[in-house]
Amino acid sequence: MKRLFSNIEKIFTYPVIITLIMGTVIILLLPPLFKKYDLQIKEHQNIYYDNYIEFSDLDNDGFSERISLSTVNNDYSYVNFYNHQEALSQVWNLKGKINNKSLAVGDYNNDGKKEVYLITMQNDSLFLNCYHYFQKKEEIVEKKFITEIPKHYNKPDWDISDPQLIDLNKNGYKELVFSLFGKYSLQPRQIITYDIKNQIFSKSPSIGTIMKDIKVIKSKDKKNYFITGNTSVTNYFGDSTEVDYKDDKAWLIVYNKYFRPQFDPIPFEEQGTILQTYPLAYNNMIYFTVLITNHFDYENSKLLVINTEGEIINTFNAKDYEMEKVFGTQNLPANQFYVINNSDEVFLMNHHLTILNRYDVSYTKSSTFFARNLDNDNQQEIIQWVPSRKKAILYRKNFKEKVEIKLPELQSRNLDISLRKTPSQNQICFRDYNHYYMVAYKKSTLYPLKYAIHGAIYIILFLILYAIQKTIALRRLRQERVISQLKLTSIKNQIDPHFTLNALNAIGSSILNDYKKESYDHLQRFSRLIRHSLTEADNVSRSLNDEINFIKDYLNVLQIRFVDKFDYRLEIEENADLSHHVPKMIIQSFVENAFNHGIKPKSGKGLLKIQITGDDKGIEAIVQDDGIGRGTAVERGNTKNTGKGLNNINEYINIFNKYNKQKISYRIIDLFDNRKPAGTLIKIYIPYDYEYKIH
């Protein structure tokens, strides 16, 4: 395990690795300066409630015209067309009142020129109006009767959902498709298509439920298509017997091209139920994803996949994921779709109801989502409108890139969004009932510099770390040189030539006097001193037990030279950890000083006491002599060579203390007897939690 950590530590000492790690973290923490696209408010205006603004490139020249709808009163409306220079180019006058949701723009015959379609209310009837922007004035208006509308409390009751142009029959001409319904009236509640080429209406049977968010999917062979939408339980006419599929239930209804139910509509009866559908295609088969949620009870939430025979082929427990919305984009494969939950997640799923991916998306519970092609690349971007934060968030590449902008005046949860195109940049129109914003959507000028700046971050960081690494290496080299010098000095101190020669002379004298046993013992102790000095030359520390044994041999050899000059007493308490490492020579140096400068110059015999004690935090060593004292030694000039070993020890301690929280310390106490110098006492404290290495 130690080797593993040692290898990891070595890896992290390389500047390249540290640069990669730190650089990546810094780049991830950078503010979003290098977004691929930018959003910028270009225009903001207050508008009247009855006004409506749409942008569309009517003549396919790369510039969008502004279409402004206004109703003067219930009998008269007009549409103003502005070119890309914001100059009024044409005015379309209409009889009747405009419903803001009834506008559709498209090129039904693919000639490159778009038409404008509007449904107006005149008296008690609805009419479809078509405006051909590029034809002569006398030919530009076509007006078709759609249906009569009822009144609710003497007010016309009608609404429209999702007018869109789709080539239903794949004959090269598009049809207009929309859902028409009374909000509080039982009729009309039906889906209508208008064959623009042949000027023929087709209508679904009138039903009791309201179908919105109309979706159309075509079969693989182009011979059939299916129309479906979202329904919910409103229960305005649940007890009515006049129509089928009453609104006391949410119905899954799928119409074929003959406006007949493809299969028997499937009811979902719980009060508060909302049913959302999204059609899928896979391997020449058509499926319908159905998300069932409930205003009052999540327990009944579920996700189904139903085939064109009305059979449930897959089921998913949506309640565990708090699934709330289902939608898709043109970018996705035909069998995949998104599901949004209430816990800031978006799931990518397929027709098997397998979760393929998850995306973290904030504020999902209170948001509305749109899919729009914003930059003319045939890929739809996703727009999230967060009314609680009054901001729009745009996502690219399936929620992987995002950019956001504050739109503080917009209030409504359901916005109208249109695109104003120009060759240089696109602008998005965000509109509610009282305000609209024009927001420029373009590639960021900083985006091309993204990778250059990221590279610069890595290079600068590497240079800084390399310089720091070199500084540390130089400092460590200096420290190691100091340690090496101290080691050499330590060797010299341990085998001092005078001490060695005097010890050998004493041993030789003992041999000449034929003291064989004593001579052998003396020679053994002296050889141990020499061996320790040589074998431990590379060490800066040794065990307390080895330090004590060295001191014993040193004092015993010293007694050979100075017969009857001193005695010594060594006391070691049981609580002292003899295996713990201490700086080499730390106690011996104080012992040597005590003899040389305290006992040796003393007349008479001296006593040297060494006491080793320990506690739970460290070791304390006490060295005491009854010599002449430090003051007298200075007066006699006996301190000329005082402290060479001690100076070495001080250098050791000072170096290693820098890298240890707990420090080695010592204190020197002068002893007196009746105010006369009576020796010296040294207390040395060595903590257990101490390391002898340079970091």
Side-chain angles (χ1 to χ4, degrees):
M1 184 63 71
K2 287 184 178 179
R3 181 175 295 178
L4 174 63
F5 284 114
S6 176
N7 291 334
I8 293 174
E9 184 178 357
K10 286 180 181 178
I11 291 173
F12 277 89
T13 58
Y14 292 108
V16 173
I17 296 176
I18 300 175
T19 298
L20 290 174
I21 295 171
M22 292 184 64
T24 303
V25 171
I26 290 171
I27 289 170
L28 291 175
L29 294 177
L30 283 176
L33 300 174
F34 305 105
K35 303 181 296 287
K36 188 172 184 179
Y37 284 81
D38 277 336
L39 292 175
Q40 184 179 2
I41 295 174
K42 290 295 186 180
E43 184 182 350
H44 168 232
Q45 286 189 20
N46 297 336
I47 55 177
Y48 293 111
Y49 177 82
D50 286 334
N51 285 7
Y52 184 80
I53 295 174
E54 177 80 13
F55 289 89
S56 183
D57 184 5
L58 297 175
D59 55 359
N60 200 29
D61 64 350
F63 292 92
S64 290
E65 283 71 35
R66 178 156 64 98
I67 307 169
S68 178
L69 287 66
S70 298
T71 295
V72 177
N73 51 50
N74 288 338
D75 298 321
Y76 176 71
S77 301
Y78 63 90
V79 180
N80 289 338
F81 296 89
Y82 298 85
N83 61 26
H84 63 273
Q85 296 173 337
E86 285 299 312
L88 181 64
S89 59
Q90 294 185 31
V91 178
W92 180 20
N93 295 309
L94 295 161
K95 289 184 179 181
K97 183 178 181 179
I98 295 172
N99 183 311
N100 289 342
K101 299 177 184 177
S102 67
L103 175 69
V105 180
D107 181 8
Y108 91 97
N109 59 358
N110 301 307
D111 65 353
K113 310 297 182 183
K114 293 181 181 177
E115 308 82 38
V116 180
Y117 301 87
L118 267 175
I119 295 174
T120 58
M121 179 196 71
Q122 188 176 354
N123 298 323
D124 61 351
S125 299
L126 295 182
F127 295 89
L128 174 62
N129 304 268
C130 177
Y131 188 85
H132 299 275
Y133 186 69
F134 296 97
Q135 291 187 11
K136 295 180 180 179
K137 188 171 184 180
E138 61 268 18
E139 300 174 347
I140 60 177
V141 176
E142 297 175 358
K143 187 173 183 178
K144 295 292 182 182
F145 171 78
I146 301 174
T147 187
E148 293 183 358
I149 55 174
K151 290 187 177 181
H152 182 74
Y153 291 106
N154 294 320
K155 292 184 179 181
D157 181 26
W158 69 285
D159 206 345
I160 190 170
S161 175
D162 309 298
Q164 52 192 303
L165 271 74
I166 304 174
D167 185 359
L168 297 175
N169 300 309
K170 283 295 178 181
N171 61 357
Y173 294 91
K174 297 183 178 69
E175 287 74 39
L176 180 66
V177 182
F178 57 94
S179 172
L180 188 64
F181 52 90
K183 294 181 181 178
Y184 306 102
S185 303
L186 185 58
Q187 297 300 320
R189 293 186 175 183
Q190 58 192 161
I191 297 173
I192 300 174
T193 65
Y194 178 62
D195 184 341
I196 303 169
K197 181 178 183 295
N198 299 305
Q199 300 186 19
I200 298 173
F201 283 106
S202 299
K203 302 178 182 179
S204 71
S206 192
I207 57 177
T209 191
I210 295 174
M211 187 178 292
K212 298 182 180 179
D213 300 315
I214 301 304
K215 304 172 187 70
V216 179
I217 190 168
K218 300 166 192 173
S219 62
K220 186 76 171 179
D221 58 10
K222 318 295 185 187
K223 294 180 180 180
N224 198 4
Y225 59 84
F226 302 97
I227 302 175
T228 186
N230 300 344
T231 63
S232 62
V233 175
T234 55
N235 209 19
Y236 291 140
F237 301 98
D239 56 353
S240 173
T241 58
E242 298 178 26
V243 294
D244 294 326
Y245 317 128
K246 294 175 287 188
D247 63 357
D248 59 342
K249 302 176 180 63
W251 295 87
L252 172 62
I253 304 175
V254 177
Y255 292 112
N256 57 29
K257 67 177 181 178
Y258 304 109
F259 268 129
R260 295 177 186 149
Q262 174 67 16
F263 49 81
D264 289 339
I266 303 173
F268 298 89
E269 302 185 11
E270 291 83 2
Q271 187 69 23
T273 294
I274 301 171
L275 186 149
Q276 301 174 60
T277 60
Y278 187 78
L280 304 171
Y282 185 72
N283 283 349
N284 299 324
M285 298 292 291
I286 301 295
Y287 303 98
F288 301 94
T289 301
V290 183
L291 177 62
I292 304 158
T293 58
N294 195 289
H295 278 311
F296 312 114
D297 185 8
Y298 272 111
E299 290 299 315
N300 294 319
S301 298
K302 52 190 171 184
L303 190 62
L304 309 175
V305 171
I306 296 175
N307 63 19
T308 54
E309 303 301 319
E311 300 168 335
I312 299 174
I313 60 172
N314 284 308
T315 304
F316 189 88
N317 190 357
K319 70 174 184 176
D320 293 340
Y321 294 87
E322 299 182 31
M323 292 180 171
E324 187 69 18
K325 307 177 188 74
V326 58
F327 81 106
T329 68
Q330 295 174 354
N331 314 347
L332 294 176
N335 69 322
Q336 294 181 13
F337 59 97
Y338 294 116
V339 181
I340 301 166
N341 74 359
N342 283 337
S343 302
D344 297 339
E345 285 184 306
V346 174
F347 304 95
L348 176 62
M349 304 183 73
N350 63 13
H351 67 292
H352 294 302
L353 299 185
T354 301
I355 296 176
L356 305 176
N357 210 336
R358 296 189 185 202
Y359 307 98
D360 293 327
V361 177
S362 301
Y363 321 118
T364 55
K365 186 173 184 179
S366 60
S367 295
T368 306
F369 291 82
F370 307 86
R372 298 286 190 276
N373 181 9
L374 300 179
D375 52 4
N376 309 322
D377 62 352
N378 296 320
Q379 297 289 312
Q380 286 187 323
E381 283 70 48
I382 297 169
I383 303 173
Q384 178 187 9
W385 168 239
V386 189
S388 61
R389 304 278 172 165
K390 295 187 177 181
K391 69 178 178 181
I393 307 173
L394 274 66
Y395 298 93
R396 297 175 59 82
K397 296 185 178 179
N398 300 333
F399 295 98
K400 294 178 182 177
E401 296 178 2
K402 74 173 184 177
V403 59
E404 59 186 58
I405 191 169
K406 283 273 190 179
L407 304 173
E409 298 297 330
L410 297 182
Q411 305 293 330
S412 175
R413 180 186 179 102
N414 296 310
L415 301 181
D416 289 305
I417 296 176
S418 60
L419 184 63
R420 183 182 191 178
K421 296 195 295 185
T422 68
S424 60
Q425 67 177 31
N426 289 334
Q427 295 182 353
I428 309 165
C429 178
F430 294 89
R431 177 197 177 278
D432 67 3
Y433 296 118
N434 300 111
H435 298 269
Y436 86 85
Y437 284 91
M438 292 302 304
V439 177
Y441 179 67
K442 62 179 182 178
K443 287 189 176 181
S444 170
T445 54
L446 287 177
Y447 181 75
L449 302 175
K450 175 180 178 179
Y451 297 106
I453 293 175
H454 287 178
I457 289 173
Y458 283 114
I459 291 171
I460 293 171
L461 188 60
F462 173 78
L463 293 175
I464 292 172
L465 291 173
Y466 183 76
I468 293 173
Q469 202 77 5
K470 279 294 182 183
T471 302
I472 293 173
L474 288 173
R475 186 182 68 177
R476 182 173 295 175
L477 182 60
R478 294 191 198 101
Q479 303 272 20
E480 289 174 351
R481 285 175 179 172
V482 171
I483 294 295
S484 298
Q485 291 172 357
L486 292 175
K487 289 177 180 178
L488 291 173
T489 306
S490 174
I491 296 172
K492 293 177 181 178
N493 288 337
Q494 290 184 95
I495 54 174
D496 178 70
H498 295 289
F499 173 82
T500 303
L501 290 174
N502 290 331
L504 288 174
N505 287 333
I507 294 170
S509 176
S510 179
I511 293 172
L512 288 174
N513 291 324
D514 203 24
Y515 300 127
K516 295 180 181 180
K517 186 176 183 309
E518 290 85 349
S519 300
Y520 179 77
D521 291 340
H522 296 337
L523 192 60
Q524 283 281 83
R525 295 186 184 100
F526 183 72
S527 65
R528 281 200 299 267
L529 281 179
I530 300 299
R531 185 176 69 251
H532 282 307
S533 298
L534 296 176
T535 58
E536 296 179 0
D538 290 332
N539 300 330
V540 295
S541 68
R542 60 186 170 196
S543 69
L544 179 59
N545 187 61
D546 288 343
E547 178 77 2
I548 291 170
N549 289 333
F550 188 89
I551 292 170
K552 288 180 181 178
D553 290 335
Y554 172 78
L555 292 176
N556 288 332
V557 171
L558 204 60
Q559 285 180 329
I560 299 172
R561 291 182 53 207
F562 301 96
V563 180
D564 294 331
K565 181 60 183 174
F566 74 99
D567 289 326
Y568 73 89
R569 187 184 307 156
L570 181 62
E571 298 175 359
I572 303 172
E573 294 188 2
E574 292 182 357
N575 55 5
D577 184 0
L578 298 180
S579 64
H580 184 71
H581 270 233
V582 299
K584 189 174 65 175
M585 306 290 290
I586 189 170
I587 302 175
Q588 191 272 345
S589 295
F590 287 108
V591 169
E592 183 179 355
N593 276 351
F595 175 79
N596 287 334
H597 309 296
I599 294 176
K600 184 178 177 181
K602 176 183 177 180
S603 59
K605 192 172 185 178
L607 177 63
L608 187 63
K609 297 180 182 178
I610 304 163
Q611 184 179 10
I612 309 294
T613 64
D615 56 26
D616 58 348
K617 294 182 179 180
I619 298 166
E620 184 178 66
I622 299 174
V623 178
Q624 181 180 349
D625 68 77
D626 60 354
I628 63 175
R630 289 192 300 168
T632 305
V634 171
E635 292 175 2
R636 295 183 181 181
N638 292 329
T639 59
K640 182 177 180 181
N641 296 316
T642 298
K644 283 185 178 180
L646 193 56
N647 287 337
N648 293 332
I649 291 299
N650 282 335
E651 290 189 62
Y652 273 126
I653 292 173
N654 290 336
I655 289 173
F656 292 114
N657 273 353
K658 293 178 182 178
Y659 301 98
N660 284 276
K661 186 176 181 180
Q662 304 296 328
K663 314 295 184 184
I664 291 177
S665 60
Y666 66 87
R667 185 160 58 101
I668 301 176
I669 302 171
D670 295 314
L671 303 177
F672 296 92
D673 184 11
N674 292 327
R675 298 185 178 181
K676 293 182 180 180
T680 306
L681 184 143
I682 300 102
K683 290 186 176 181
I684 310 155
Y685 184 75
I686 307 165
Y688 286 138
D689 186 16
Y690 200 84
E691 295 182 351
Y692 302 94
K693 65 179 182 179
I694 299 172
H695 302 293

